[in-house]
Amino acid sequence: MNPIEIINELKKNKIIILKEEKDLHGILLKLSSKEMIKFEIKEENKYILTKEGEEILKTNSPEYILYCKSKEREIKTIECNKQILGNAIKQNLIKLNNNKLIPIINKEDIIKEELNNINNNKKEINELLLKRKLIKKIKEKTYKIFKGINFNLSLNSELITNINLQNIFLKDLSLKKYNFNTKGVLKQFGSLHPLLKLKEEFKNIFIEMGFQEMNTNLFIESSFWNFDALFQPQLHPSREMHDTFFIKNNNENYGEKTLIIPNNYLKRVESAHLGNNYNTKGYKTFNKEECYKNVLRTHTTATSTRYLYNLSKENNNSIYRKYFSIDKVFRNESVDATHLAEFHQIEGLVIGEYLNISHLKGILTEFFKKVGLNKIKFKPAYNPYTEPSMEVFAFHEELNIWMEVGNSGIFRPEMLEPMGFESNIKVIAWGLSLERPAMIKFGKKNIRDLMGHKVDLNFIKETGFVSFI
Ligand code: FB9
């Protein structure tokens, strides 16, 4: 029955008794939530016939059919199905004499009679019929439906379910007019953080420039890969506690990942730091124990170093690769409106023969053009692991200002040659942050309006598609 038919029946002050239909319950709940009807549900265990049971009702039970045949002609036991013969004997329809069937006169088909009366049979009879799979048990629901206090004949569209719309005659319905100007109800759903959307945009830029993404899953790194292998002096201020988060009790389970330092490579790095090789004065100090101190990585260049070291083992003197990474780094610095103790570093590097500062300027120009920054200029700078190094500045048309947009350089030979690279192999690289462009793009003055527990969830929900163009 559909809602219209239910209403029409109730209109005649009838109480409707219905068997459960799969969508009936939903309609009744809707009608009763409007107090248009009230209903009660009664559940009871019932028996129903199986297909085999229905077949017997149309004809007769197999044992009764055998009984009838034995009255028409002589039948030997060897001709019979054992189970059917057994049932016929059990029901006293047939006796056996010298392996021949002897029918007993005037017998009825008991099974057929019992199947005609399954909900009044004795328990043991139905147990037998269940065992022979002639009947099965079901839970039968009966709905008793009454008029509710708000019973009325107009049925608005809200009560119509799409399931039964096809069999409701629309002329019976008083539907209100469609309001095509109304706004839809915004459904609650999850939203990607705008920072992650911007990260995806930077990732797409690198990918369309032919860069491969590095696996930057080691938030904890040894000082060796974060500092020493980059020819960063062990006495450099950035290695102080006030700049770097050092990890206590080094031998936690991550130890085996970060504290595996190839011994021969460590020796070559040591000789570079001591100025004993690689055509450098070095820093005259090197304490191996410093290498094994785990830190929260201060830059993703730690991962770049791992990738470069692995590449150096490829014995390929005309190597050419382009790698990028965008992931969290950690600095033990005082936090303020634009700095937190962690931020996402974006890093790109190209390794190839005889790369030089012109290649670096070219690729930076191309990269920042894709970020929407068409006017850039370079300023000499210093990094412990790149020489020359350049700060990158760009003119932001909307803000009408020049701003620092990153840092770059060519990795020093004292970093590359201990890895095993020949002097013709050069690496150009650059870095910037993700939060700084995000703050500009989303108009946030305070980084806490972009990151952290104080972020306005509506900002996250309402920031739509993010792109540089
Ligand atoms: O992101 C930065 N600025 C920036 C970048 C893009 C941008 O786009 C907007 C759409 C218009 C706007 C601004 N900076 C780098 C520059 C400054 O914000 C700077 O004050 C803060 N820097 C961070 C470091 O702070 C401790 C940003 C971060 C940074 C700096 C250097 C590197 C990475 C991140 C690097 C590197 C590097 C160098 C050589 C070889 C390999 C990596």
Side-chain angles (χ1 to χ4, degrees):
M1 280 181 114
N2 65 48
I4 288 283
E5 288 158 346
I6 290 172
I7 295 291
N8 289 338
E9 285 297 294
L10 290 171
K11 204 165 48 176
K12 301 168 202 157
N13 291 321
K14 282 191 183 169
I15 292 175
I16 305 168
I17 304 289
L18 287 173
K19 302 296 175 208
E20 185 189 15
E21 290 172 5
K22 61 182 171 49
D23 57 338
L24 170 70
H25 197 83
I27 295 171
L28 294 179
L29 282 176
K30 272 186 183 170
L31 290 170
S32 62
S33 69
K34 306 281 176 196
E35 295 191 283
M36 291 176 73
I37 63 160
K38 287 185 294 183
F39 68 95
E40 294 163 5
I41 303 176
K42 192 172 79 177
E43 279 199 5
E44 50 188 342
N45 286 327
K46 308 266 317 229
Y47 291 108
I48 60 170
L49 296 171
T50 62
K51 285 217 176 316
E52 202 177 339
E54 285 167 353
E55 203 46 48
I56 289 177
L57 275 195
K58 284 180 200 154
T59 56
N60 281 99
S61 64
E63 53 270 34
Y64 192 77
I65 292 167
L66 177 63
Y67 164 69
C68 297
K69 280 183 184 163
S70 68
K71 285 197 286 188
E72 292 155 10
R73 68 175 176 82
E74 185 185 86
I75 297 177
K76 292 190 176 64
T77 51
I78 194 162
E79 295 173 58
C80 304
N81 168 297
K82 281 196 173 44
Q83 189 169 2
I84 294 173
L85 180 59
N87 286 335
I89 293 168
K90 257 186 237 156
Q91 290 167 36
N92 203 18
L93 296 171
I94 286 168
K95 282 195 182 338
L96 294 184
N97 181 4
N98 292 337
N99 292 330
K100 288 189 189 107
L101 275 61
I102 312 299
I104 313 293
I105 52 168
N106 298 338
K107 283 292 181 183
E108 298 299 326
D109 187 345
I110 306 162
I111 292 294
K112 188 170 179 175
E113 284 166 16
E114 286 161 355
L115 286 175
N116 254 322
N117 197 18
I118 52 178
N119 283 306
N120 302 313
N121 281 339
K122 287 189 191 118
K123 189 172 178 341
E124 56 275 15
I125 288 178
N126 277 346
E127 288 306 319
L128 176 85
L129 296 176
L130 275 171
K131 204 170 164 191
R132 283 186 60 173
K133 293 189 172 51
L134 301 179
I135 61 172
K136 60 185 175 184
K137 256 186 205 168
I138 61 158
K139 270 199 184 314
E140 186 181 68
K141 269 186 191 173
T142 306
Y143 288 85
K144 209 169 176 182
I145 308 168
F146 316 83
K147 271 184 181 174
I149 50 171
N150 294 341
F151 177 76
N152 68 69
L153 302 183
S154 70
L155 189 65
N156 65 32
S157 62
E158 200 182 325
L159 292 172
I160 295 172
T161 60
N162 55 9
I163 303 166
N164 54 29
L165 192 57
Q166 66 278 12
N167 60 21
I168 286 176
F169 302 109
L170 294 179
K171 65 176 175 47
D172 296 336
L173 296 177
S174 59
L175 296 174
K176 65 180 182 180
K177 290 220 176 312
Y178 249 107
N179 169 8
F180 290 100
N181 304 316
T182 181
K183 277 196 171 179
V185 175
L186 191 64
K187 286 290 179 202
Q188 287 304 317
F189 49 81
S191 306
L192 267 182
H193 194 291
L195 196 80
L196 292 180
K197 294 179 182 175
L198 192 65
K199 177 181 172 184
E200 203 58 30
E201 282 305 293
F202 273 108
K203 187 172 168 178
N204 291 339
I205 288 175
F206 277 112
I207 288 170
E208 71 190 35
M209 291 176 74
F211 283 67
Q212 289 170 264
E213 188 167 16
M214 291 184 271
N215 173 0
T216 50
N217 64 343
L218 288 181
F219 279 18
I220 291 175
E221 259 300 4
S222 63
S223 291
F224 177 79
W225 292 105
N226 198 78
F227 296 120
D228 299 299
L230 284 78
F231 196 59
Q232 187 142 338
Q234 292 193 335
L235 300 177
H236 190 278
S238 68
R239 293 175 69 147
E240 291 305 311
M241 301 290 268
H242 63 270
D243 266 6
T244 300
F245 289 110
F246 283 84
I247 306 292
K248 279 190 187 141
N249 42 39
N250 254 349
N251 303 316
E252 293 291 319
N253 60 4
Y254 46 74
E256 74 275 4
K257 284 190 197 143
T258 60
L259 300 179
I260 294 175
I261 302 171
N263 206 24
N264 292 336
Y265 179 34
L266 173 56
K267 285 193 179 119
R268 297 196 296 270
V269 168
E270 179 181 25
S271 72
H273 278 254
L274 293 174
N276 297 338
N277 199 339
Y278 308 107
N279 191 25
T280 176
K281 283 199 306 184
Y283 306 113
K284 307 303 178 203
T285 62
F286 189 82
N287 171 359
K288 272 189 188 170
E289 283 169 23
E290 283 301 314
C291 300
Y292 289 92
K293 288 180 181 173
N294 274 336
V295 298
L296 280 178
R297 69 182 175 208
T298 60
H299 48 194
T300 47
T301 321
T303 303
S304 306
T305 307
R306 281 177 177 274
Y307 269 74
L308 290 171
Y309 173 69
N310 289 331
L311 279 177
S312 72
K313 294 187 278 186
E314 282 185 11
N315 289 327
N316 170 353
N317 207 17
S318 60
I319 196 160
Y320 183 70
R321 295 276 198 292
K322 297 188 279 191
Y323 283 115
F324 80 94
S325 60
I326 306 176
D327 211 339
K328 279 208 176 161
V329 296
F330 308 87
R331 303 279 174 99
N332 188 4
E333 288 168 346
S334 50
V335 295
D336 59 25
T338 57
H339 290 85
L340 293 174
E342 60 185 71
F343 66 91
H344 288 78
Q345 179 173 337
I346 298 169
E347 180 162 337
L349 71 86
V350 182
I351 178 171
E353 281 189 278
Y354 302 116
L355 292 176
N356 58 43
I357 201 84
S358 308
H359 298 107
L360 180 55
K361 285 181 172 182
I363 204 154
L364 286 170
T365 305
E366 186 58 27
F367 176 81
F368 282 105
K369 194 183 290 179
K370 290 174 182 288
V371 177
L373 300 169
N374 297 310
K375 277 197 283 187
I376 65 168
K377 55 188 180 184
F378 307 98
K379 179 185 167 192
Y382 170 77
N383 287 321
Y385 43 90
T386 54
E387 185 55 38
S389 306
M390 302 183 298
E391 282 170 352
V392 187
F393 289 80
F395 185 73
H396 195 286
E397 301 292 345
E398 274 168 49
L399 300 177
N400 197 29
I401 54 164
W402 281 93
M403 63 174 67
E404 186 186 346
V405 293
N407 194 301
S408 65
I410 301 178
F411 284 137
R412 298 178 64 151
E414 296 92 330
M415 172 183 168
L416 298 178
E417 290 178 14
M419 289 182 180
F421 287 113
E422 296 300 323
S423 59
N424 63 319
I425 301 296
K426 300 294 181 189
V427 179
I428 57 176
W430 74 99
L432 60 152
S433 76
L434 182 63
E435 283 76 4
R436 199 51 61 86
M439 286 176 75
I440 293 169
K441 195 162 188 61
F442 301 121
K444 302 295 180 190
K445 294 264 182 294
N446 189 315
I447 196 163
R448 284 162 193 73
D449 297 332
L450 178 74
M451 298 293 290
H453 65 287
K454 292 184 178 172
V455 169
D456 172 5
L457 290 181
N458 289 322
F459 159 59
I460 295 176
K461 278 185 191 174
E462 288 157 13
T463 303
F465 177 66
V466 170
S467 91
F468 285 117
I469 44 179

